[in-house]
Amino acid sequence: MTSFTNQANGVFPSVCPLDCPDQCGLLIHKEDGKITKVQGDPNHPVTQGAICNKVRNMPSRIYDPNRLQYPLKRVGAKGEGKFERISWKQAITEITSHWKQLIESVGPEAIMPYSFYGNMGRIGTEGMDRRFFNRLGATKLERTICQSAGTEGYNYTMGAALGIDPEDTIHSKLIIMWGINTVSTNMHQVVLAEKARKNGAKIIVIDVHKNQTGRMADWFIPIMPGTDGALALGLMHILFAEKLVDEAFLREYTVGYEELREHVKQYTPEMVSAITKVPVEDIYRLARLYGETTPSYIRIGNGLQHHDNGGMNVRTIACLPALTGQWLHKGGGAIKGNGGYLDTNTAALQRPDLLENPHTRSVNMIQLGAALLELDPPIRSLYVYNCNPSVVAPEANKVRQGLAREDLFTVVHDMFLTETAMFADIVLPATSSWENTDFYRSYWHHYVQIQQPVIEPCGESKSNVDVFRLLALGMDYDDSAFFDTEEAIIRQALDHPANPYIANITYEELLAKQFVKADVKPLFPGKLQTPSGKIELYSEALANIGFQPLPTYTPLADDGEAPFMFLPVPNHNFLNSTFSNNAKHIQMEKAAQLHMNVADAEQLGIQHGDTVKVWNERGECEMAAFVGENVLPGVVVSQGLWADLPDTKWTVNALTPDRIADMGGGAVFFSGRVHVGKIEVNK
C-alpha cells in the first residue's frame, strides 16, 4: 500500500471521511510534515473541487490541542472526567482480562459494541471490528439509527438502494427535494440542481422547516411533520383522476397499479390538506406540475423517515416516478440512496462465519439507554467507537444514566474525550482518516475511492483496524482473519461477483486513479430486485408481514399531550456530534436556537431572541427562540447536536423518543412532542 507519510511537503490525493452522501475527492497540502490546507479535487467528476466548511476546516480538528494523544484510565467518578495516562500494553491487558473474566463467568453476550459511521472507511467501520466481535460472540448491535427505515421502505417499492445517477440530474426539468436540507447535507446535489435550473428546471422543496435549501427553492412547500406519505397519496389521487399517468409504463414495469388507482381515490385533496396543512390549491398545482413535466426527479431525504411512519413515507414517495414513467427519461426518477450499486462483499469484510452461536442476542442501537438499564441478563461491558451515543442516541438522559452504572466496564476509542468517553473506564486515542488506509463508497454518487495515509498517527493514536488486531491478540485469537492487511481486506471486499456493477473496480485501479466509477446502467428497461422484478406499487411481501400492501398513510404514534412537534434537525457546520466540540466550528455555528412560528410565540409571550425552556417527560433544554415563519404553527425545530459546552443545556436528544419506526428498526427522532416556555431573566 502506498503511503504519503514519508513525504514532508506536497499535495496528496484523499477523500472526505464524513457520513455524507457527497463523499468528496480531496487534495491535502502538507508543509514540513503537517497538513496546512484541504481543498477539493477539481478532477473528481461529481464534486469537482467544491467542498464544505466542515472538511475545509478539518486541520483545526486534526491538530486540536484537546485531541487525545495516549491511552487513559479513569481515576475519578464516572462522568467526572478524571483520568491518568497508561500504556497501550496496560490498556489492552486490562480490557481483555476483564472480557475473559466476563466470558468465563456469564458469557460473551455480556459484552456489546456500540458504533456507527463517524468515519465512513469500510474496513475501519465494518471490517476488522465486525470480525472481532463475531469471534468474541458479543451481543450484536443493530445499526439502524440513520437510514434503515427509509431504505427498507424504498426497497419494498424498488427492490434495492438504486436510483438515477446524480450526474444525470443536470438534465432534470423539475427537481423536488423532499425532506432534505441539501445545502447543508448534500451540497453537490445543489450544484447539479443549479445547473439544471440554468437550463430551465424548477426546484421545489418540501420540508417542515424553511432552511437554507427551502430559501433557494423556486417554490417552498411547508408540511406538517410525518404527513409526507399523505401528501404523496394526494398527488397520486390527482395524477390518476386527471389522466396524468403513463399507462404504458405502469403496464410494463409495475405491479398493482390498478389496485393503487382505486386505493388513492380516498385520499382527496381536501382530506390530504387537512392532514398536511398544504393548501388544496397547492396540492393540485404540485400534482399537475409533476404530471406534466418530464424529466422530473425526486431527491428523497432522511428527514421524512425519522418518524413512526417513516418507512411507509419513503415507500409511498418512491412510487411517484413510476406513475409518470420518469424512469425511462435521462434525469428522471428518484434517489433515496444509491449504495446498492456499490455493494461490496459483506461476508468477506465482516466474516459472520466467525460467530459460533447463531442465536446470539441483538440490541437496537436506538434503545441503548433501555438496554443498559433494563436488559436481562445485563450488558456488563460496552465498547464504543466511531460514535458518541451520549449526544447522538435518543433518550439521552436514559443513556447517560446507563453509562453511569458502576458495574458497566466501558471502553471508548475516539479522537477526543467526548461526552461518552467521560463515562469510560478506559479511553483509547484514535487516528483520523488521513492517518489510515481504507476505501470508501458513496451512497449517492457511483464512485469508490481509496484513502492512503497522508500523515503519521497523532501521538500514540491507533486505527480501529490496529486496535482490533491488538484486542484479538490479547484474547489469544489466532484466526487468519485478524492477520489480514488492509490491502488484503480491500481486495476481499471488492471481490464480489454478486454485484456486477463493481466488476471493473480493482485495488490496482483505485491506487492508479484514486476514484473509480461503478459500471451502472439505467434501471429500465430491466429487471429489479423485487420479488416480481418490477416496481411494486402493491407489495405482497409487505402483506405477508402484516403491513398494508399498498401505500397507506398512518398517523404518528401518541407522544403525549405536549402542544408542539419537535424536530432536532442537522445544522450547517456539524455532522451529528462531529465538530460540535471544535472551537472553529462552534464559532461558525454560534449557538443553539429554537425556530417557532410567530403565532405560537405571540400566544406564549415569546419574542425573537428570548431564552426558552423546551421540555417533556424525557428531559429539558434551553435555547434562544428564533421567531418567524420558517415553521408551521404547532412545530418547533432546533438545528445541530451540540457538545456539552459550559453553561449550556443544548442536549436536544434528551427530548427525543427511543421508539422504533414502522420499518427497518429505524429511529423516530422527529416524532416527539414538547412544551415551550419563556425563561424570565432576573435583571
Coordinates of all heavy atoms in Angstrom, one line a residue, residues 393-462:
A393 N -27.6 9.4 20.6 CA -28.7 8.4 20.8 C -29.9 9.1 21.4 O -29.8 10.1 22.2 CB -28.3 7.3 21.7
P394 N -31.1 8.7 21.1 CA -32.3 9.3 21.7 C -32.4 8.9 23.2 O -31.7 8.1 23.7 CB -33.5 8.6 20.9 CG -32.9 7.4 20.3 CD -31.5 7.7 20.1
E395 N -33.3 9.6 23.9 CA -33.4 9.4 25.3 C -32.1 9.6 26.0 O -31.6 8.7 26.7 CB -34.1 8.1 25.7 CG -35.5 8.0 25.3 CD -36.5 8.2 26.5 OE1 -36.1 8.8 27.4 OE2 -37.6 7.6 26.4
A396 N -31.4 10.7 25.7 CA -30.0 10.9 26.2 C -29.9 10.8 27.7 O -28.9 10.3 28.2 CB -29.5 12.3 25.7
N397 N -30.9 11.3 28.4 CA -30.7 11.1 29.9 C -30.7 9.7 30.3 O -30.0 9.3 31.3 CB -31.9 11.9 30.6 CG -31.7 13.4 30.5 OD1 -30.6 13.9 30.3 ND2 -32.8 14.1 30.5
K398 N -31.5 8.9 29.7 CA -31.5 7.4 30.0 C -30.2 6.8 29.6 O -29.7 6.0 30.3 CB -32.7 6.8 29.2 CG -33.0 5.4 29.7 CD -34.0 4.7 28.8 CE -35.4 5.3 28.9 NZ -36.4 4.5 28.2
V399 N -29.6 7.2 28.5 CA -28.3 6.7 28.0 C -27.3 7.1 29.1 O -26.5 6.2 29.5 CB -28.0 7.3 26.7 CG1 -26.5 6.9 26.3 CG2 -28.9 6.8 25.6
R400 N -27.3 8.3 29.5 CA -26.2 8.7 30.5 C -26.4 8.0 31.8 O -25.4 7.7 32.5 CB -26.2 10.2 30.6 CG -25.8 10.9 29.3 CD -25.8 12.4 29.4 NE -25.5 13.0 28.1 CZ -25.0 14.2 27.9 NH1 -24.9 15.0 28.9 NH2 -24.8 14.6 26.6
Q401 N -27.6 7.8 32.2 CA -27.9 7.0 33.4 C -27.3 5.6 33.3 O -26.7 5.1 34.2 CB -29.4 7.0 33.7 CG -29.8 6.3 35.0 CD -31.3 6.2 35.2 OE1 -32.0 6.8 34.5 NE2 -31.7 5.5 36.2
G402 N -27.5 5.0 32.1 CA -26.9 3.7 31.9 C -25.4 3.7 31.9 O -24.8 2.8 32.5
L403 N -24.8 4.7 31.2 CA -23.4 4.8 31.2 C -22.8 5.0 32.6 O -21.6 4.7 32.8 CB -22.9 5.9 30.3 CG -23.2 5.7 28.8 CD1 -23.0 7.0 28.0 CD2 -22.3 4.6 28.2
A404 N -23.5 5.6 33.5 CA -23.0 5.9 34.8 C -23.0 4.7 35.8 O -22.5 4.7 36.9 CB -23.9 7.0 35.5
R405 N -23.5 3.5 35.3 CA -23.5 2.3 36.1 C -22.1 1.9 36.5 O -21.2 1.8 35.7 CB -24.1 1.2 35.3 CG -25.6 1.1 35.3 CD -26.1 -0.1 34.4 NE -25.2 -1.3 34.5 CZ -25.2 -2.2 33.6 NH1 -25.9 -2.0 32.4 NH2 -24.4 -3.2 33.7
E406 N -21.9 1.8 37.8 CA -20.5 1.4 38.3 C -20.1 0.0 37.8 O -18.9 -0.3 37.7 CB -20.5 1.5 39.8 CG -20.3 2.9 40.3 CD -19.0 3.6 39.8 OE1 -18.0 2.9 39.7 OE2 -19.1 4.9 39.7
D407 N -21.1 -0.8 37.6 CA -20.8 -2.2 37.2 C -20.7 -2.4 35.7 O -20.5 -3.5 35.2 CB -21.8 -3.2 37.7 CG -23.2 -3.0 37.1 OD1 -23.5 -1.9 36.7 OD2 -24.0 -3.9 37.1
L408 N -20.7 -1.3 34.9 CA -20.5 -1.3 33.5 C -19.1 -0.9 33.1 O -18.7 0.2 33.3 CB -21.5 -0.4 32.8 CG -21.4 -0.3 31.3 CD1 -22.0 -1.6 30.6 CD2 -22.2 0.9 30.7
F409 N -18.3 -1.9 32.6 CA -17.0 -1.6 32.2 C -17.0 -1.1 30.7 O -17.3 -1.8 29.8 CB -16.1 -2.9 32.2 CG -14.7 -2.7 31.8 CD1 -13.8 -2.0 32.6 CD2 -14.3 -3.3 30.6 CE1 -12.5 -1.9 32.1 CE2 -13.0 -3.1 30.2 CZ -12.1 -2.4 30.9
T410 N -16.7 0.2 30.6 CA -16.8 0.9 29.3 C -15.5 1.3 28.7 O -14.6 1.8 29.4 CB -17.7 2.1 29.4 OG1 -19.0 1.8 29.9 CG2 -17.9 2.9 28.1
V411 N -15.3 1.0 27.4 CA -14.1 1.4 26.7 C -14.6 2.3 25.6 O -15.5 2.0 24.8 CB -13.3 0.2 26.1 CG1 -12.1 0.7 25.4 CG2 -13.0 -0.8 27.3
V412 N -13.9 3.4 25.4 CA -14.2 4.4 24.3 C -12.9 4.6 23.5 O -11.9 4.9 24.0 CB -14.8 5.7 24.8 CG1 -14.9 6.7 23.6 CG2 -16.1 5.5 25.5
H413 N -13.0 4.4 22.2 CA -11.9 4.7 21.2 C -12.3 5.9 20.4 O -13.2 5.8 19.6 CB -11.7 3.4 20.4 CG -10.5 3.5 19.4 ND1 -10.4 2.8 18.3 CD2 -9.4 4.3 19.5 CE1 -9.3 3.1 17.7 NE2 -8.6 4.0 18.4
D414 N -11.7 7.0 20.6 CA -12.1 8.2 19.9 C -10.9 9.2 19.8 O -9.9 9.0 20.5 CB -13.2 8.9 20.7 CG -14.1 9.8 19.8 OD1 -13.6 10.8 19.3 OD2 -15.3 9.4 19.7
M415 N -11.1 10.2 19.0 CA -10.1 11.3 18.9 C -10.1 12.3 20.1 O -9.1 13.0 20.3 CB -10.3 12.0 17.6 CG -9.9 11.2 16.3 SD -10.3 12.1 14.8 CE -9.3 13.5 14.9
F416 N -11.3 12.3 20.7 CA -11.5 13.3 21.8 C -12.1 12.7 23.0 O -12.7 11.6 22.9 CB -12.4 14.5 21.3 CG -11.7 15.3 20.2 CD1 -11.9 14.9 18.8 CD2 -10.9 16.3 20.5 CE1 -11.4 15.7 17.8 CE2 -10.3 17.1 19.5 CZ -10.5 16.7 18.1
L417 N -12.0 13.4 24.1 CA -12.7 13.0 25.3 C -14.1 13.4 25.2 O -14.5 14.5 25.8 CB -12.0 13.6 26.6 CG -12.3 13.0 27.9 CD1 -11.9 11.5 28.0 CD2 -11.6 13.7 29.0
T418 N -14.9 12.7 24.5 CA -16.3 13.0 24.3 C -17.2 12.9 25.5 O -16.7 12.4 26.5 CB -16.9 12.1 23.2 OG1 -16.9 10.7 23.7 CG2 -16.1 12.1 21.9
E419 N -18.4 13.3 25.4 CA -19.4 13.1 26.5 C -19.5 11.7 26.9 O -19.7 11.4 28.1 CB -20.7 13.7 26.1 CG -20.8 15.2 25.9 CD -20.2 15.7 24.6 OE1 -19.8 14.9 23.7 OE2 -20.2 16.9 24.4
T420 N -19.4 10.8 25.9 CA -19.5 9.3 26.2 C -18.2 8.9 26.9 O -18.2 8.1 27.9 CB -19.7 8.5 24.9 OG1 -20.9 9.0 24.3 CG2 -19.9 7.1 25.2
A421 N -17.1 9.4 26.4 CA -15.8 9.0 27.0 C -15.6 9.4 28.4 O -14.9 8.8 29.2 CB -14.6 9.6 26.2
M422 N -16.4 10.5 28.8 CA -16.3 10.9 30.2 C -16.8 9.8 31.2 O -16.4 9.8 32.4 CB -17.2 12.1 30.4 CG -16.7 13.4 29.7 SD -15.2 14.1 30.4 CE -16.0 15.0 31.8
F423 N -17.6 8.9 30.7 CA -18.1 7.8 31.5 C -17.2 6.5 31.4 O -17.5 5.5 32.0 CB -19.5 7.4 31.1 CG -20.5 8.5 31.4 CD1 -20.8 9.5 30.5 CD2 -21.1 8.5 32.7 CE1 -21.8 10.4 30.8 CE2 -22.1 9.5 33.0 CZ -22.4 10.5 32.0
A424 N -16.2 6.6 30.6 CA -15.4 5.4 30.3 C -14.4 5.0 31.4 O -14.0 5.8 32.1 CB -14.6 5.5 29.0
D425 N -14.1 3.7 31.4 CA -13.1 3.2 32.3 C -11.7 3.2 31.6 O -10.7 3.5 32.3 CB -13.4 1.8 32.8 CG -14.7 1.7 33.6 OD1 -14.7 2.0 34.8 OD2 -15.8 1.4 33.0
I426 N -11.7 3.0 30.3 CA -10.5 3.1 29.5 C -10.8 3.9 28.3 O -11.9 3.6 27.6 CB -10.0 1.7 29.1 CG1 -9.7 0.8 30.3 CG2 -8.8 1.8 28.2 CD1 -8.5 1.2 31.1
V427 N -10.0 4.8 28.0 CA -10.1 5.7 26.8 C -8.9 5.4 25.9 O -7.8 5.6 26.3 CB -10.3 7.1 27.1 CG1 -10.5 8.0 25.8 CG2 -11.5 7.4 28.0
L428 N -9.2 5.1 24.6 CA -8.1 4.9 23.6 C -8.1 5.9 22.6 O -9.1 6.3 22.0 CB -8.3 3.5 23.0 CG -8.5 2.3 23.9 CD1 -8.8 1.1 23.1 CD2 -7.2 2.1 24.7
P429 N -6.9 6.5 22.2 CA -6.8 7.6 21.2 C -6.9 7.0 19.8 O -6.2 6.0 19.5 CB -5.4 8.1 21.5 CG -4.6 7.0 22.0 CD -5.6 6.1 22.8
A430 N -7.7 7.6 19.0 CA -8.0 7.2 17.7 C -7.3 8.0 16.6 O -7.1 9.3 16.8 CB -9.5 7.2 17.4
T431 N -6.9 7.4 15.5 CA -6.4 8.1 14.4 C -7.5 8.8 13.6 O -8.7 8.5 13.7 CB -5.6 7.2 13.4 OG1 -6.5 6.1 13.1 CG2 -4.3 6.7 14.0
S432 N -7.1 9.8 12.9 CA -8.1 10.4 11.9 C -8.0 9.6 10.6 O -7.1 8.7 10.4 CB -7.7 11.9 11.6 OG -6.5 11.9 10.8
S433 N -8.9 9.8 9.7 CA -8.9 9.0 8.5 C -7.6 9.3 7.7 O -7.2 8.4 6.9 CB -10.1 9.4 7.6 OG -10.0 10.8 7.2
W434 N -7.1 10.4 7.8 CA -5.9 10.8 7.0 C -4.6 10.2 7.5 O -3.5 10.3 7.0 CB -5.8 12.3 6.9 CG -6.9 12.9 6.1 CD1 -7.7 12.2 5.2 CD2 -7.5 14.2 6.2 NE1 -8.7 13.0 4.7 CE2 -8.6 14.3 5.3 CE3 -7.1 15.3 7.0 CZ2 -9.4 15.4 5.2 CZ3 -7.9 16.5 6.8 CH2 -9.0 16.5 5.9
E435 N -4.8 9.4 8.6 CA -3.6 8.6 9.2 C -3.8 7.1 8.9 O -3.1 6.3 9.4 CB -3.6 8.9 10.7 CG -3.3 10.4 11.0 CD -3.8 10.8 12.4 OE1 -3.6 10.0 13.3 OE2 -4.3 11.9 12.4
N436 N -4.9 6.8 8.1 CA -5.3 5.4 7.9 C -5.2 5.0 6.5 O -5.2 5.8 5.6 CB -6.7 5.2 8.4 CG -6.9 5.4 9.9 OD1 -5.9 5.4 10.6 ND2 -8.1 5.6 10.3
T437 N -5.3 3.7 6.3 CA -5.5 3.1 5.0 C -7.0 2.5 5.0 O -7.4 1.8 5.9 CB -4.6 1.9 4.7 OG1 -3.2 2.4 4.7 CG2 -4.9 1.2 3.4
D438 N -7.7 2.9 3.9 CA -9.1 2.4 3.9 C -9.7 2.7 2.5 O -9.0 3.3 1.6 CB -10.0 3.1 4.9 CG -11.0 2.2 5.5 OD1 -11.6 1.4 4.7 OD2 -11.3 2.3 6.7
F439 N -10.9 2.2 2.2 CA -11.6 2.5 1.0 C -13.0 3.0 1.3 O -13.5 2.7 2.4 CB -11.6 1.4 0.0 CG -12.6 0.3 0.3 CD1 -13.7 0.2 -0.5 CD2 -12.5 -0.6 1.3 CE1 -14.7 -0.8 -0.3 CE2 -13.4 -1.6 1.5 CZ -14.5 -1.7 0.7
Y440 N -13.5 3.8 0.5 CA -14.8 4.5 0.7 C -15.7 4.3 -0.5 O -15.3 4.2 -1.6 CB -14.5 6.0 0.9 CG -13.8 6.3 2.2 CD1 -12.5 6.1 2.3 CD2 -14.5 6.9 3.3 CE1 -11.8 6.4 3.5 CE2 -13.8 7.2 4.4 CZ -12.5 6.9 4.6 OH -11.8 7.2 5.7
R441 N -17.0 4.2 -0.2 CA -18.0 4.2 -1.3 C -19.2 5.1 -0.9 O -19.7 5.0 0.2 CB -18.5 2.7 -1.6 CG -19.1 2.0 -0.4 CD -19.4 0.6 -0.8 NE -20.0 -0.2 0.3 CZ -21.3 -0.3 0.5 NH1 -22.2 0.4 -0.3 NH2 -21.8 -1.0 1.5
S442 N -19.5 5.9 -1.9 CA -20.6 6.9 -1.7 C -22.0 6.1 -1.6 O -22.1 5.1 -2.2 CB -20.7 7.9 -2.8 OG -21.8 8.7 -2.7
Y443 N -22.9 6.7 -0.9 CA -24.3 6.2 -1.0 C -25.2 7.2 -1.8 O -26.4 7.1 -1.7 CB -24.9 5.9 0.4 CG -24.8 7.0 1.4 CD1 -25.8 8.0 1.5 CD2 -23.7 7.1 2.3 CE1 -25.7 9.0 2.5 CE2 -23.6 8.1 3.3 CZ -24.6 9.0 3.4 OH -24.5 10.0 4.3
W444 N -24.5 8.0 -2.6 CA -25.3 8.9 -3.5 C -24.7 8.9 -4.9 O -25.4 8.5 -5.9 CB -25.2 10.4 -3.0 CG -25.8 11.4 -3.8 CD1 -27.1 11.6 -4.2 CD2 -25.1 12.5 -4.4 NE1 -27.2 12.7 -5.0 CE2 -26.0 13.3 -5.1 CE3 -23.7 12.9 -4.3 CZ2 -25.6 14.4 -5.8 CZ3 -23.4 14.1 -5.0 CH2 -24.3 14.8 -5.8
H445 N -23.4 9.2 -5.1 CA -22.8 9.1 -6.4 C -22.3 7.7 -6.6 O -22.4 6.8 -5.7 CB -21.8 10.2 -6.7 CG -20.6 10.2 -5.8 ND1 -19.7 9.2 -5.7 CD2 -20.1 11.2 -4.9 CE1 -18.7 9.5 -4.9 NE2 -19.0 10.7 -4.4
H446 N -21.6 7.4 -7.7 CA -21.3 6.0 -8.1 C -19.8 5.7 -8.1 O -19.4 4.8 -8.8 CB -21.9 5.7 -9.5 CG -23.3 5.8 -9.6 ND1 -24.0 5.9 -10.8 CD2 -24.3 5.7 -8.7 CE1 -25.3 5.9 -10.6 NE2 -25.5 5.8 -9.3
Y447 N -19.1 6.4 -7.2 CA -17.6 6.2 -7.2 C -17.1 5.6 -5.9 O -17.6 5.9 -4.8 CB -16.9 7.6 -7.3 CG -17.1 8.2 -8.7 CD1 -18.3 8.9 -9.1 CD2 -16.2 8.0 -9.7 CE1 -18.5 9.4 -10.3 CE2 -16.3 8.5 -11.0 CZ -17.5 9.2 -11.3 OH -17.7 9.7 -12.6
V448 N -16.2 4.7 -6.1 CA -15.4 4.1 -5.0 C -14.1 4.8 -4.9 O -13.5 5.1 -6.0 CB -15.2 2.6 -5.1 CG1 -14.3 2.0 -4.1 CG2 -16.5 1.8 -5.2
Q449 N -13.6 5.1 -3.7 CA -12.4 5.9 -3.6 C -11.5 5.2 -2.5 O -11.9 4.5 -1.7 CB -12.7 7.3 -3.1 CG -13.6 8.0 -4.1 CD -14.0 9.4 -3.7 OE1 -13.2 10.3 -3.8 NE2 -15.2 9.6 -3.2
I450 N -10.2 5.5 -2.6 CA -9.2 4.9 -1.7 C -8.6 6.0 -0.9 O -8.4 7.1 -1.4 CB -8.2 4.1 -2.5 CG1 -7.4 3.1 -1.5 CG2 -7.2 5.0 -3.3 CD1 -6.6 2.0 -2.2
Q451 N -8.2 5.6 0.3 CA -7.5 6.5 1.2 C -6.2 5.9 1.6 O -6.1 4.8 2.1 CB -8.3 6.8 2.5 CG -7.6 7.6 3.5 CD -7.3 9.0 3.1 OE1 -8.2 9.8 2.8 NE2 -6.0 9.4 2.9
Q452 N -5.1 6.6 1.3 CA -3.8 6.2 1.6 C -3.3 7.2 2.7 O -3.6 8.4 2.7 CB -2.9 6.3 0.4 CG -3.4 5.3 -0.7 CD -2.8 5.7 -2.0 OE1 -1.7 5.3 -2.3 NE2 -3.6 6.4 -2.9
P453 N -2.5 6.7 3.7 CA -2.1 7.6 4.8 C -1.4 8.9 4.3 O -0.5 8.8 3.4 CB -1.2 6.7 5.6 CG -1.6 5.4 5.3 CD -2.0 5.4 3.9
V454 N -1.8 10.0 4.8 CA -1.1 11.3 4.4 C -0.2 11.8 5.5 O 0.8 12.4 5.2 CB -2.2 12.3 4.2 CG1 -1.6 13.7 3.8 CG2 -3.2 11.9 3.0
I455 N -0.5 11.5 6.8 CA 0.3 12.0 7.9 C 0.5 10.8 8.9 O -0.3 9.9 8.8 CB -0.3 13.2 8.6 CG1 -1.7 12.9 9.1 CG2 -0.2 14.4 7.8 CD1 -2.3 14.0 10.0
E456 N 1.5 10.9 9.7 CA 1.8 9.9 10.7 C 0.7 10.0 11.8 O 0.1 11.1 12.0 CB 3.1 10.1 11.3 CG 4.3 9.8 10.4 CD 4.5 8.4 10.1 OE1 3.9 7.5 10.7 OE2 5.3 8.1 9.2
P457 N 0.4 8.9 12.4 CA -0.6 8.9 13.6 C -0.2 10.0 14.6 O 1.0 10.1 14.9 CB -0.5 7.5 14.1 CG -0.1 6.7 13.0 CD 0.9 7.5 12.2
C458 N -1.2 10.6 15.1 CA -1.0 11.7 16.1 C -0.7 11.0 17.5 O -1.5 10.2 17.9 CB -2.3 12.5 16.2 SG -2.3 13.8 17.5
G459 N 0.4 11.4 18.1 CA 0.8 10.8 19.3 C 0.8 9.3 19.3 O 1.5 8.7 18.4
E460 N 0.1 8.7 20.2 CA 0.1 7.2 20.3 C -1.2 6.7 19.7 O -1.6 5.5 20.0 CB 0.3 6.7 21.7 CG 1.6 7.1 22.3 CD 1.7 6.6 23.8 OE1 0.9 5.8 24.2 OE2 2.6 7.0 24.5
S461 N -1.9 7.5 18.9 CA -3.2 7.1 18.4 C -3.1 5.9 17.5 O -2.1 5.7 16.8 CB -4.0 8.2 17.8 OG -3.2 8.7 16.7
K462 N -4.2 5.1 17.4 CA -4.2 3.9 16.5 C -5.5 3.8 15.8 O -6.5 4.3 16.3 CB -4.0 2.6 17.3 CG -2.6 2.5 18.0 CD -2.4 1.2 18.7 CE -1.0 1.1 19.4 NZ 0.1 1.2 18.4

